[in-house]
Amino acid sequence: MFLRELTVSIDAIKGIGPVSIHALAKKGIYSVGSLLCYYPRTWEDRSQYIPLKDFSSSPVCTVVQVIARDWFPNSRTGKQDLKVYVADTSTRGVLVCFNRPFMKNQLMVGKYYWLWGSFQYKFGELQASVFEVEAVPEETGYEAMLDPAARLLDKALSQHFGRILPVYSLNEGLTQNMLRRFIEQALSHYADPLADELPGYLIQQHQLLPKSQAIRAIHFPRSLAELHQAQKTIKYEELFYLGVLIGKRAQDRRSTQRARCGHSVPTSRSGTVSPLQQRLLERLPFTLTQGQGEVMSAINQDMNGPYPMARLLQGDVGSGKTLVSFLAALRGVELGGQAALMAPTELLARQHGENAAGLLEPIGIRVAFLTGNLKAKGRAPLLKRLSAGEIDLVVGTHALFSKEVQYKNLRLVVIDEQHRFGVLQRQAIMSKGAHPDLLMMSATPIPRTLALTIFGDLDISIIRDLPPGRKPIKTHLARESNEAKVYDFVRDELAAGRQAYFVYPLIETDERKSLKDAKSMATRLAQQVFPRHPVGLIHSKLGEEEKRQTMEDFRSGAIRILVATSVVEVGVDVPNANCMVIAHAERFGLSALHQLRGRVGRGETQSYCFLVYSDSQTLGDTSAQPATVLTDEGKARLKVMLENTDGFVIAEEDLKLRGPGHITGTEQSGYLPLGMADPIRDAPLLEQARLDAFAMLEQDPDLLQREHLPVAQVLSRTTPFPV
Ligand code: ADP
Ligand code: MG
């Protein structure tokens, strides 16, 4: 029997009552199988004797005799609390039983107890208020005290000592002891017949444990070595399944394509630039960077190949991904289809739409722009042309996959800033065509291990170079109290004809005005700081028309200073703007800071980014609270920004600071079917399991038909992967 077939209800376990059943249900535990998969949060090693005198390095694990007891008044509760004086062979200590008067019945003077606790010196005593005790049987007590190491290791004596104990995360109605008891029961009745899920040769090859032993040992390991082996086994198994899922997706993709191959595309000339692409390139005032050229070739190859493209294009902010997507669109059109370019914000979609019109219409491409805000009047004819195939490239937002939108022959889907879209949205746009080619783009680099995990079935291209002539952006930190200097600096740049962004964390603030906000700062900058230069304001609450106008004015130079919230974070491209001032920079995440900084440095002039931070200063009126306290993490982020410009390095630093769960693009990582494995920490195991899974799929494509691997069951769940 496989673990996942252990669907017996947990009522079957002795001693489990309605209260516990309710509490377990809240954790999603209904069956014995799910109970056994409720892995410990951590483990306490109570197999080693650690006498009281060694309290400083770890909790103690010893045998003590109770010497005396005493009551003392608790000034907070007004009640009496119990103090119990104990001693082991090394020294004396005190157990302080806050709010636990019942302990008087459990700790008797003269008797012996196993003790686990964290001690500290307080008021001249060695005290513990967090501890666990268990009475040592009468007849062995004194001996145990004399020879605690040996005794403690003798498991037969104690439930909770002399062994490595699991520690579970709890919720109301559950205690450690309850969970330990239930799981021990479940193990003793159900663990033995558990069948291995992994093929035997892999268990052997990687020295993993048989499933039944792994499950037992993950809860109650007999040694730390066994625990590590059990962890490795379970992690490997999860990662192997993940590998199978990903490998299967890649296989499926190839087989759909084979079917499509019948009416497939002509292969292009030996060169990797198609005629339409060539026409666009000739019109550009610059040449492609090496990275852009390579990606274009890869895309051409994919799009001419026998199966649909599924490519993730990563390139730092400003590396010129948009142009690459236009080139891909041209290839799609040449192959007789339509292309859709989807962007996460209307602002960005519009910018792409305008660029596309400017660059592609002159070479005969019919471009349209579609967002949810498009009025009915323009909308109906547009949809009609789209479904009639009279539009070659449609640029827009989520509206591109709304119900009434139909394509004649959607051949290519480009998703810009792909991490801003959910899995379902990506699937929705894909379903508008018959296996269209897919190009996903992101300026938020995903470290390799995560990319393998999440996008393991995609081909990944990286543009590592920036267009030539760009000067590295100079980044400066400035205390808020020094912001006048920043203003002076920006004033000089404005006088030289440049433009600037000022970004604030909020649109408006609360009445206390503890933070600067975009609205009031727009007024202040316009009236007091830069009275000679036109100031514009943009944030998410403005109407689309107003946003559009403001952006256009900024682009044309009619507005010289753009005050904004993080709406300008993605995509906005105005090369003449060379100053980025971010207020309360300590409040922004690393990825946002990097994206924001990437709004400048897009032209040939030197650009500057000022990270203005407030360190618990009071602003404005005196009744205000301190604005923010600069946390260590906030400081660390600013330091990373100051020292790095490479988006990949910044992403890695972000990972270190925040942990993988928070990486942009994996927020929906609920879709990783992982319980114990961590794709970052367990990267080597991940790669191994992935290779093994791919190899197995390769050798044995009928794997799914085979009954003995529960992989088939895992796969039959609707797969939550991106595309
Ligand atoms: P991102 O990769 O961040 O989306 P964009 O596509 O917005 O970058 O491009 C940034 C800017 O670089 C745009 O103004 C674009 O016209 C310009 N650009 C793109 N490719 C090149 C190139 N090969 N040489 C010079 N400038 C380029
Ligand atoms: Mg972009």
Side-chain angles (χ1 to χ4, degrees):
M1 178 185 283
F2 297 123
L3 182 55
R4 73 189 70 248
E5 292 170 334
L6 261 185
T7 48
V8 209
S9 156
I10 41 171
D11 326 356
I13 292 169
K14 235 172 58 194
I16 222 164
V19 178
S20 333
I21 289 183
H22 187 70
L24 289 168
K26 281 212 199 120
K27 294 224 168 251
I29 302 171
Y30 301 96
S31 66
V32 172
S34 55
L35 179 66
L36 290 181
C37 286
Y38 192 64
Y39 303 133
R41 175 168 62 78
T42 181
W43 293 262
E44 278 174 13
D45 183 2
R46 298 190 189 174
S47 62
Q48 305 298 320
Y49 168 55
I50 299 167
L52 276 172
K53 73 170 173 42
D54 294 344
F55 70 96
S56 59
S57 53
S58 81
V60 307
C61 183
T62 182
V63 172
V64 293
Q65 186 180 29
V66 174
I67 302 166
R69 308 194 313 184
D70 199 3
W71 294 92
F72 69 99
N74 183 328
S75 54
R76 215 171 311 152
T77 61
K79 298 205 177 116
Q80 295 280 312
D81 278 331
L82 183 66
K83 256 181 167 185
V84 179
Y85 296 85
V86 299
D88 72 359
T89 48
S90 74
T91 188
R92 289 172 172 232
V94 185
L95 305 176
V96 188
C97 312
F98 289 115
N99 296 322
R100 291 198 280 175
F102 53 86
M103 292 302 285
K104 73 177 192 297
N105 305 320
Q106 286 177 29
L107 285 162
M108 303 301 195
V109 174
K111 297 265 160 70
Y112 294 90
Y113 299 87
W114 279 285
L115 167 69
W116 168 267
S118 301
F119 281 81
Q120 274 181 302
Y121 256 111
K122 259 192 190 164
F123 311 115
E125 296 174 332
L126 193 53
Q127 287 194 351
S129 55
V130 178
F131 60 87
E132 268 182 55
V133 288
E134 183 183 333
V136 175
E138 283 293 296
E139 61 284 4
T140 48
Y142 184 59
E143 283 168 57
M145 171 105 168
L146 288 183
D147 185 11
R151 287 294 163 192
L152 280 167
L153 289 172
D154 186 348
K155 286 178 215 66
L157 277 176
S158 161
Q159 276 290 311
H160 301 112
F161 288 83
R163 57 198 299 196
I164 299 169
L165 271 193
V167 179
Y168 300 95
S169 41
L170 301 175
N171 60 7
E172 217 186 303
L174 291 175
T175 65
Q176 292 298 347
N177 277 343
M178 280 160 68
L179 269 170
R180 286 171 192 158
R181 231 177 331 114
F182 299 154
I183 289 178
E184 211 156 36
Q185 286 265 343
L187 285 171
S188 68
H189 288 96
Y190 298 97
D192 276 343
L194 285 183
D196 286 332
E197 306 189 14
L198 292 168
Y201 72 92
L202 288 175
I203 297 185
Q204 260 182 358
Q205 191 182 326
H206 300 302
Q207 301 182 343
L208 306 175
L209 295 177
K211 183 73 181 197
S212 64
Q213 190 187 342
I215 275 293
R216 207 183 273 285
I218 204 71
H219 293 287
F220 295 101
R222 283 172 297 191
S223 65
L224 289 179
E226 195 192 38
L227 173 61
H228 292 150
Q229 232 188 336
Q231 284 174 305
K232 180 176 162 191
T233 303
I234 290 173
K235 286 175 179 180
Y236 178 89
E237 196 180 274
E238 290 174 0
L239 295 168
F240 180 79
Y241 282 145
L242 189 66
V244 172
L245 272 168
I246 291 169
K248 185 64 179 48
R249 290 204 67 81
Q251 269 187 352
D252 285 353
R253 186 150 52 83
R254 267 177 256 143
S255 60
T256 39
Q257 334 229 326
R258 249 171 248 129
R260 203 178 68 147
C261 219
H263 45 98
S264 93
V265 295
T267 27
S268 76
R269 305 174 294 133
S270 56
T272 47
V273 182
S274 78
L276 261 181
Q277 289 172 339
Q278 187 60 43
R279 286 183 61 194
L280 172 59
L281 294 183
E282 278 162 7
R283 296 178 48 86
L284 292 177
F286 47 73
T287 51
L288 292 186
T289 63
Q290 190 183 338
Q292 285 172 317
E294 283 166 10
V295 180
M296 180 176 70
S297 298
I299 289 174
N300 283 343
Q301 206 166 13
D302 284 356
M303 291 182 73
N304 289 350
Y307 12 88
M309 168 167 80
R311 190 167 282 280
L312 173 66
L313 169 55
Q314 298 191 42
D316 213 340
V317 278
S319 59
K321 297 183 292 295
T322 318
L323 182 59
V324 172
S325 72
F326 290 170
L327 291 162
L330 290 179
R331 186 67 194 134
V333 173
E334 241 166 5
L335 293 169
Q338 294 171 298
L341 167 55
M342 183 161 80
T345 64
E346 178 138 357
L347 207 66
L348 184 53
R350 185 175 298 279
Q351 177 182 289
H352 286 340
E354 283 163 6
N355 280 341
L359 287 172
L360 305 181
E361 275 173 357
I363 55 172
I365 304 298
R366 296 162 294 179
V367 178
F369 177 63
L370 177 64
T371 68
N373 282 306
L374 189 64
K375 298 283 169 327
K377 199 161 101 241
R379 195 178 179 86
L382 193 157
L383 293 183
K384 212 163 134 206
R385 287 171 56 218
L386 197 57
S387 65
E390 290 162 19
I391 287 171
D392 302 311
L393 168 63
V394 61
V395 181
T397 56
H398 304 74
L400 292 183
F401 58 78
S402 53
K403 237 208 225 122
E404 74 281 11
V405 179
Q406 300 222 324
Y407 299 79
K408 175 141 191 272
N409 174 16
L410 182 60
R411 171 65 212 251
L412 169 72
V413 169
V414 180
I415 304 180
D416 193 19
E417 306 291 345
Q418 61 82 22
H419 58 279
R420 294 287 182 115
F421 291 95
V423 177
L424 295 178
Q425 298 172 319
R426 293 188 288 224
Q427 278 167 353
I429 178 84
M430 289 299 280
S431 69
K432 292 283 178 184
H435 306 296
D437 288 311
L438 170 67
L439 177 64
M440 301 209 280
M441 308 199 291
S442 177
T444 303
I446 304 168
R448 181 181 146 75
T449 46
L450 262 189
L452 277 183
T453 320
I454 306 166
F455 300 114
D457 62 329
L458 303 187
D459 297 310
I460 298 182
S461 298
I462 299 177
I463 302 183
R464 295 203 178 273
D465 42 3
L466 293 176
R470 299 246 177 108
K471 300 192 178 67
I473 303 164
K474 290 194 173 150
T475 302
H476 299 282
L477 288 187
R479 247 173 223 269
E480 194 165 33
S481 44
N482 282 336
E483 69 189 351
K485 286 191 188 149
V486 176
Y487 293 156
D488 290 345
F489 188 97
V490 172
R491 198 173 291 118
D492 289 346
E493 290 297 315
L494 292 168
R498 313 280 164 234
Q499 291 167 276
Y501 296 93
F502 281 81
V503 175
Y504 298 89
L506 301 170
I507 300 176
E508 291 171 282
T509 44
D510 49 21
E511 317 79 68
R512 287 184 310 178
K513 293 220 190 317
S514 51
L515 284 178
K516 288 188 171 145
D517 63 272
K519 255 189 178 171
S520 39
M521 284 309 292
T523 313
R524 189 164 137 203
L525 293 178
Q527 293 176 353
Q528 297 168 24
V529 187
F530 305 112
R532 291 155 180 268
H533 299 289
V535 173
L537 169 67
I538 196 159
H539 55 72
S540 57
K541 286 201 183 142
L542 296 178
E544 288 309 324
E545 180 48 31
E546 204 173 338
K547 276 195 239 175
R548 192 194 60 74
Q549 190 62 50
T550 306
M551 270 326 287
E552 200 178 300
D553 290 348
F554 189 56
R555 202 181 312 266
S556 72
I559 286 174
R560 305 293 303 286
I561 297 158
L562 187 62
V563 177
T565 55
S566 57
V567 282
V568 294
E569 179 183 324
V570 286
V572 173
D573 182 39
V574 179
N576 189 49
N578 77 330
C579 293
M580 166 61 70
V581 182
I582 306 174
H584 300 295
E586 74 284 355
R587 302 196 133 224
F588 290 86
L590 266 180
S591 130
L593 288 173
H594 179 62
Q595 290 271 356
L596 285 170
R597 182 169 61 183
R599 295 311 112 213
V600 298
R602 294 176 159 250
E604 308 223 317
T605 44
Q606 178 63 54
S607 290
Y608 304 89
C609 174
F610 296 93
L611 303 171
V612 183
Y613 65 96
S614 36
D615 44 356
S616 62
Q617 292 237 346
T618 320
L619 303 169
D621 56 344
T622 46
S623 64
Q625 296 290 310
T628 42
V629 178
L630 187 57
T631 61
D632 285 346
E633 206 191 305
K635 252 186 240 166
R637 284 197 298 263
L638 296 181
K639 186 158 175 279
V640 170
M641 288 301 292
L642 197 60
E643 292 171 355
N644 297 283
T645 51
D646 182 330
F648 278 87
V649 178
I650 292 176
E652 297 276 357
E653 293 295 328
D654 200 22
L655 197 63
K656 283 187 212 150
L657 286 173
R658 298 201 297 165
H662 301 278
I663 290 292
T664 327
T666 62
E667 262 101 46
Q668 325 97 313
S669 56
Y671 62 64
L672 298 183
L674 301 177
M676 182 164 283
D678 171 335
I680 305 299
R681 255 181 297 140
D682 303 317
L685 204 59
L686 167 77
E687 302 227 12
Q688 184 60 55
R690 184 179 131 87
L691 288 179
D692 291 342
F694 281 20
M696 188 170 84
L697 280 171
E698 199 89 334
Q699 277 166 17
D700 186 0
D702 296 329
L703 178 78
L704 302 186
Q705 265 66 51
R706 287 224 315 267
E707 279 305 299
H708 84 270
L709 269 183
V711 168
Q713 297 173 18
V714 174
L715 287 178
S716 65
R717 294 190 307 213
T718 45
T719 142
F721 277 81
V723 256

